[in-house]
Amino acid sequence: MTLRRTLPIWLALPLLVPIALVAAALLTPTPDIWAHLWATRLPAMLLNTVLLVAGVGAGTLLLGTGLAWLVSAYQFPGRSWFAWLLLLPLAMPGYVLAFIYMATFDFAGPVQTALRAWFGGPVWFPNIRSLGGAILVLTLVLYPYVYLLARTAFREQSASTLDVARAMGETRWRAFWRLVLPLARPALVAGATLAMLEAMTDFATVRFFNVPTLSEGVFRVWEGMMNREAATELAALLLLAALGIMLLERALRGQARYYQNQRPARRMAPVRLRGWRGGAATGACVAVLAVAFGLPLAQLLLWANQEVRRGNPGALDDVYMRYVLTTVSLAMVAAGLAIGLALALSQGTRLSRSRVSRLATRLATLGYAMPGAVIAAGVLLTLASADRALAQVAGATSGTATGLLLTGSVAGLLYAYVVRFMAVAYNSVEASLEKVTPSMAEAARCLGSSPARVLWRVHCPLMRGGLLAGGLLVFVDVMKELPATLLLRPFGMDGKRMEISDER
Amino acid sequence: MAHSQKPRTMLTLFALVCAVVLAGCAAPQAASPTAPAAPTAPAAPAASGQVVNVYSARHYGTMESVFQRFTADTGIEVRLSQGSVQSLLERLKAEGSQTPADVFFSIDAGGLALAAEEGLLQPVESATLVESIPANLRDAQNRWFGLTQRVRTIVYNPAKVQPSELSTYEALADPQWKDRLCMRPASHVYTQSLVASMIANLGPEQAATVVQGWAANNPQFIDSDTRILETIAAGGCDVGITNHYYLGRELAKSADFPVKVFWANQNERGVHVNISGMGVTAAARNKDNAVKLIEWMATEGQGGDAESLPGGNHEFPANASATPHEIIAGFGSYKPDPIAISEYGRLQADAVKLMETAGYR
């Protein structure tokens, strides 16, 4: 096999090793734990996981696509602001929103307290600590995945396509259903897949809301039974579920290929919404932003203010700012690495036309289906053996102790982040790449350009929107990630500190 | 397209960063009301160049000021890396003899016992420590030492419950408490340790009967001790089980917080006590400094004031000669369960399985 055919495999290999270490756990099962789990909680965990993932998938698809179409196709007061403001909930970690919703809507929270005062007695109220509560919270923080990719897809669609449909006598609404939506399908499915995988690996939100899922089970077995082997086996089960979701994604994307021949000469002109319709559109955006971002942020600021007034003004510390900068720069580097690698992988796979490289690339994105702490453990195992070997070599040759070069440094962290979030980068890059017709690249190759030059001069400019969107998603994800950080952090490099709960 | 989008994308990026940062600094306060937001600074750069590296499962909160005092007293800089007990154990195991950590600081006895069992900690010969820390709060081979005591006990709403109605953890399984309890879910180590102690004291069958009784009383499962207290105060349930210092925090915020503490099982084995404590890692490179840190924490750092470890978090000192914080001193004296604390770790997995079988969430 030529290098060109095997290149994606070599690129994917470092991502595959930690994932394979986790998957290998299935080969040496711990029967007594499985028997116990099957007899007790496993059926409920599986059911909860399926319902949660399905609920979040449907919710994000509905909310994300709807909002993206609203800001793409219509003109209403505040539209240009909402177009990017609606991304903000992505920055809200799920467990933070869960904590706030719990504190707001449970029995001791202000809403129920006010209702009891109003009616002078006990009032029925839906229990926020439930599967429904978890789906609500995760949908509100994860819909921007669908929104961002859908908006980019709508933006990259040419107005002439829509014009033709309108000229054929279709209503705008029918044109949306029959033309715009099918053309955007790869992006919508990619976004919903990310949201569903993220919902599947969430363990903090579901733990707050007492909804035992597979991910929550991983931590229960790991921390509670102190059995990392069995926990890793459960995590491997998550991998299988993720494979299922990804196969579903492939099936939903369909065999059809969607190419746009060039950059849209003219983007579709938004229709102005007048009167109450415009007000309703603005109101819908405001409402989503308020419940998913504005009110929670206000609550956080209120708490922070109370804290400062109680005499803990530590938040303004300049040391703290240094840690923030560390986190931001780490996230930027990780996003750059992930997007670069995703671009090389997707383009390499496309060129190699080999089934093995396609498979290797798909498997390399599975890290997204595992809780961060499990990946961190996989990376730790991968690097620690390399580290010890390095230390021994260094000790034998120069007689000096090098310490831990890989696990104790930023390299381990970045490695874990890239493994964890490759799916985010890859899905957005690939959704973008699918729209670049191969004939352009072939033309450039005929004119004597090298594949790398074609990638740089033809694909990159055409895919700029998708690359930026993907990089942004990885960036935010890294900022939100805490378990991987906790396990691989070097001394004095503490990232953004987040406590999951008040305990300990 | 890309040209018009770029500034907006950068703006979005900036806004997202701000949002995350804000969430980041505010969230811990929301979550842990007493924790100041100051990060783990290397307390004060020590002139001597002496350091001690600590893997800490304790959140920062009260610890900066304590370590700053230590550095001021000894000239030894304290460097922290923080994580959950389990992730720090994995890290110690994976790093083996190359670990940079000198001290492992755990928030429960189970983690310390497990670390000792895995050979990650080394015995320490120190007359100071043997003198300061009672035998039941440290390892038999002196591989770890308890530094603070946390009592997990019954709390109640005095408007709805008379203390005479309360007696033991086991009695909360009685049907009279149906729909009146607030409990911590089985996923939390505090619940796991409590049930482990019941397995050790009562045997697995009887412990299972008690846990089934709890579950049959249809408690509200709330994964936060603070929220359990607040729900009791709001009238959402009458009785709960929490660690004593969360009530201490609430009382520090408002002296008339309407929840009272009841020391459980006083007429028999005594109330359930856990510890937080430290051990010197097997591969410590700064062993002398590590021992100095633990000795200092067991003596100078045992005060009831906010500048000390137990006092700052309303915990009881491990050193019998130290005075506890005045708020928790007001809770009165208690008789602790004399069980060896390492049993919690040994029986933790059994406790988790028992609760899952008993249908306790």
Side-chain angles (χ1 to χ4, degrees):
Chain A
M1 290 223 277
T2 61
L3 178 65
R4 185 209 273 193
R5 281 176 73 84
T6 53
L7 186 65
I9 304 174
W10 293 113
L11 286 174
L13 200 60
L15 302 179
L16 288 172
V17 173
I19 298 171
L21 281 176
V22 173
L26 277 182
L27 301 176
T28 53
T30 323
D32 56 322
I33 301 259
W34 281 98
H36 165 78
L37 281 176
W38 181 248
T40 54
R41 303 175 67 104
L42 195 57
M45 279 156 54
L46 288 171
L47 183 67
N48 280 331
T49 307
V50 169
L51 291 177
L52 182 79
V53 167
V56 170
T60 52
L61 214 46
L62 213 62
L63 198 58
T65 314
L67 290 171
W69 180 242
L70 193 63
V71 300
S72 303
Y74 297 98
Q75 180 63 261
F76 53 91
R79 182 190 85 127
S80 56
W81 284 90
F82 287 123
W84 64 268
L85 276 176
L86 283 168
L87 286 173
L88 284 178
L90 194 61
M92 183 70 69
Y95 57 92
V96 172
L97 193 68
F99 186 86
I100 290 168
Y101 271 39
M102 191 194 81
T104 312
F105 294 112
D106 79 348
F107 187 90
V111 172
Q112 289 205 51
T113 306
L115 284 175
R116 280 195 303 274
W118 184 266
F119 290 104
V123 178
W124 184 86
F125 197 84
N127 187 2
I128 185 74
R129 288 193 184 83
S130 63
L131 180 64
I135 291 178
L136 175 74
V137 162
L138 288 175
T139 297
L140 285 176
V141 294
L142 296 177
Y143 84 83
Y145 283 115
V146 179
Y147 170 80
L148 181 59
L149 294 179
R151 203 185 51 146
T152 313
F154 293 152
R155 191 189 287 271
E156 284 171 2
Q157 277 179 21
S158 165
S160 48
T161 324
L162 192 64
D163 289 344
V164 170
R166 302 275 285 138
M168 302 292 282
E170 297 282 16
T171 63
R172 211 177 159 77
W173 184 239
R174 275 176 59 87
F176 170 72
W177 275 109
R178 301 194 45 183
L179 203 63
V180 176
L181 218 49
L183 277 175
R185 195 162 74 172
L188 299 184
V189 173
T193 304
L194 293 179
M196 293 200 301
L197 290 177
E198 189 127 319
M200 197 167 73
T201 55
D202 168 90
F203 82 98
T205 307
V206 291
R207 183 168 275 192
F208 271 148
F209 288 169
N210 300 331
V211 184
T213 61
L214 275 180
S215 301
E216 201 271 346
V218 170
F219 285 90
R220 188 184 291 251
V221 171
W222 191 355
E223 296 175 352
M225 301 190 187
M226 300 187 174
N227 190 332
R228 189 176 57 81
E229 285 72 26
T232 313
E233 287 159 35
L234 266 182
L237 201 61
L238 278 177
L239 279 183
L240 290 183
L243 268 179
I245 293 181
M246 285 177 174
L247 285 177
L248 194 69
E249 181 198 1
R250 292 285 112 175
L252 284 177
R253 276 196 187 186
Q255 288 303 308
R257 291 283 166 266
Y258 310 95
Y259 300 125
Q260 300 265 333
N261 269 323
Q262 62 269 326
R263 261 212 248 159
R266 191 165 53 82
R267 258 188 269 151
M268 49 181 134
V271 172
R272 181 172 295 279
L273 293 174
R274 296 183 189 284
W276 67 269
R277 289 164 184 274
T282 310
C285 293
V286 169
V288 170
L289 269 178
V291 295
F293 195 75
L295 295 180
L297 189 65
Q299 177 71 77
L300 286 176
L301 291 175
L302 194 73
W303 277 330
N305 182 37
Q306 283 171 357
E307 206 52 43
V308 169
R309 271 192 296 173
R310 264 212 303 278
N312 289 326
L316 305 170
D317 226 348
D318 60 329
V319 187
Y320 186 77
M321 283 313 293
R322 209 177 68 220
Y323 291 117
V324 170
L325 283 180
T326 308
T327 310
V328 170
S329 44
L330 264 180
M332 282 184 163
V333 175
L337 280 176
I339 288 294
L341 196 55
L343 195 59
L345 273 177
S346 55
Q347 182 67 1
T349 311
R350 211 184 194 200
L351 291 178
S352 81
R353 297 171 204 273
S354 122
R355 283 182 164 276
V356 184
S357 12
R358 181 156 305 152
L359 183 69
T361 309
R362 293 313 298 175
L363 291 179
T365 61
L366 275 178
Y368 200 55
M370 284 191 289
V374 177
I375 300 225
V379 166
L380 196 62
L381 289 175
T382 313
L383 291 184
S385 42
D387 250 348
R388 275 205 288 266
L390 275 179
Q392 269 164 13
V393 170
T397 51
S398 64
T400 53
T402 55
L404 298 169
L405 286 176
L406 300 173
T407 45
S409 72
V410 190
L413 257 183
L414 287 174
Y415 187 12
Y417 284 142
V418 172
V419 174
R420 171 99 172 87
F421 295 120
M422 182 43 65
V424 180
Y426 186 81
N427 279 18
S428 4
V429 168
E430 210 198 10
S432 222
L433 188 65
E434 273 193 9
K435 288 187 308 259
V436 180
T437 159
S439 59
M440 292 172 88
E442 282 156 14
R445 293 278 288 135
C446 282
L447 293 170
S449 294
S450 69
R453 195 174 153 79
V454 174
L455 186 65
W456 182 246
R457 295 295 301 273
V458 178
H459 290 98
C460 280
L462 284 173
M463 296 166 61
R464 186 140 58 172
L467 296 184
L468 269 174
L472 192 62
L473 288 179
V474 178
F475 175 81
V476 173
D477 267 331
V478 172
M479 298 277 288
K480 287 197 295 185
E481 181 70 6
L482 80 156
T485 323
L486 291 183
L487 192 52
L488 289 166
R489 216 162 32 181
F491 275 108
M493 266 279 296
D494 282 357
K496 182 172 53 64
R497 171 175 64 101
M498 287 252 188
E499 293 167 16
I500 295 180
S501 72
D502 59 332
E503 316 313 326
R504 305 182 170 187
Chain B
M1 166 211 118
H3 295 289
S4 69
Q5 194 183 354
K6 213 168 183 182
R8 190 160 295 165
T9 310
M10 295 318 287
L11 200 61
T12 310
L13 199 107
F14 178 68
L16 285 167
V17 172
C18 295
V20 175
V21 167
L22 279 170
C25 42
Q29 276 130 8
S32 79
T34 55
T40 64
S48 60
Q50 293 283 318
V51 293
V52 55
N53 292 320
V54 180
Y55 276 178
S56 170
R58 258 189 102 110
H59 292 316
Y60 311 123
T62 53
M63 292 190 354
E64 281 82 1
S65 50
V66 181
F67 287 147
Q68 273 166 14
R69 274 181 56 210
F70 171 73
T71 304
D73 279 7
T74 61
I76 300 169
E77 179 189 338
V78 181
R79 288 198 204 143
L80 287 180
S81 193
Q82 201 249 334
S84 75
V85 172
Q86 263 61 36
S87 61
L88 291 175
L89 282 174
E90 290 302 329
R91 198 167 158 176
L92 282 172
K93 262 191 267 181
E95 290 167 347
S97 61
Q98 299 287 326
T99 186
D102 304 310
V103 170
F104 175 52
F105 192 0
S106 168
I107 45 102
D108 81 323
L112 289 167
L114 205 66
E117 202 179 294
E118 300 261 3
L120 300 171
L121 303 178
Q122 57 174 302
V124 169
E125 280 184 42
S126 158
T128 314
L129 284 173
V130 170
E131 228 169 80
S132 321
I133 308 296
N136 68 319
L137 298 182
R138 57 180 152 88
D139 177 43
Q141 296 172 47
N142 289 333
R143 291 168 297 185
W144 52 262
F145 301 87
L147 294 171
T148 67
Q149 304 187 70
R150 18 188 63 200
V151 184
R152 190 154 190 84
T153 191
I154 299 172
V155 289
Y156 65 99
N157 182 335
K160 302 214 180 150
V161 177
Q162 293 304 312
S164 58
E165 295 175 74
L166 299 168
S167 56
T168 60
Y169 305 111
E170 293 77 24
L172 294 182
D174 189 281
Q176 84 169 101
W177 300 109
K178 189 157 178 59
D179 300 325
R180 296 173 71 189
L181 300 177
C182 274
M183 303 288 260
R184 190 99 189 216
S187 53
H188 203 274
V189 67
Y190 294 159
T191 315
Q192 294 161 5
S193 292
L194 176 61
V195 173
S197 81
M198 295 199 327
I199 294 175
N201 279 306
L202 310 172
E205 282 86 24
Q206 217 185 324
T209 312
V210 173
V211 174
Q212 276 162 10
W214 287 350
N217 279 339
N218 190 30
Q220 290 180 51
F221 288 101
I222 299 179
D223 199 9
S224 154
D225 277 13
T226 303
R227 205 59 179 168
I228 289 176
L229 291 168
E230 286 166 353
T231 306
I232 294 175
C237 46
D238 300 342
V239 173
I241 297 178
T242 68
N243 283 3
H244 78 279
Y245 51 91
Y246 294 103
L247 185 57
R249 285 183 194 175
E250 295 299 324
L251 289 168
K253 274 191 267 179
S254 149
D256 49 6
F257 186 77
V259 176
K260 294 233 176 295
V261 69
F262 180 88
W263 297 133
N265 297 56
Q266 291 300 289
N267 294 328
E268 35 173 315
R269 65 177 188 264
V271 69
H272 176 69
V273 176
N274 208 327
I275 55 159
S276 74
M278 288 180 170
V280 178
T281 61
R285 293 181 191 170
N286 305 300
K287 188 185 171 186
D288 292 348
N289 293 350
V291 174
K292 268 187 210 157
L293 175 66
I294 302 181
E295 285 177 345
W296 188 91
M297 299 289 280
T299 51
E300 298 295 315
Q302 285 283 300
D305 55 301
E307 302 288 293
S308 296
L309 186 66
N313 196 32
H314 305 107
E315 289 179 63
F316 289 102
N319 187 331
S321 63
T323 7
H325 189 286
E326 55 176 357
I327 287 181
I328 57 165
F331 290 171
S333 60
Y334 59 86
K335 171 178 142 189
D337 183 351
I339 186 175
I341 274 172
S342 51
E343 288 291 281
Y344 305 160
R346 193 175 66 79
L347 293 168
Q348 185 175 339
D350 291 346
V352 172
K353 283 191 186 178
L354 186 148
M355 284 189 278
E356 286 179 347
T357 312
Y360 183 96
R361 285 203 292 174

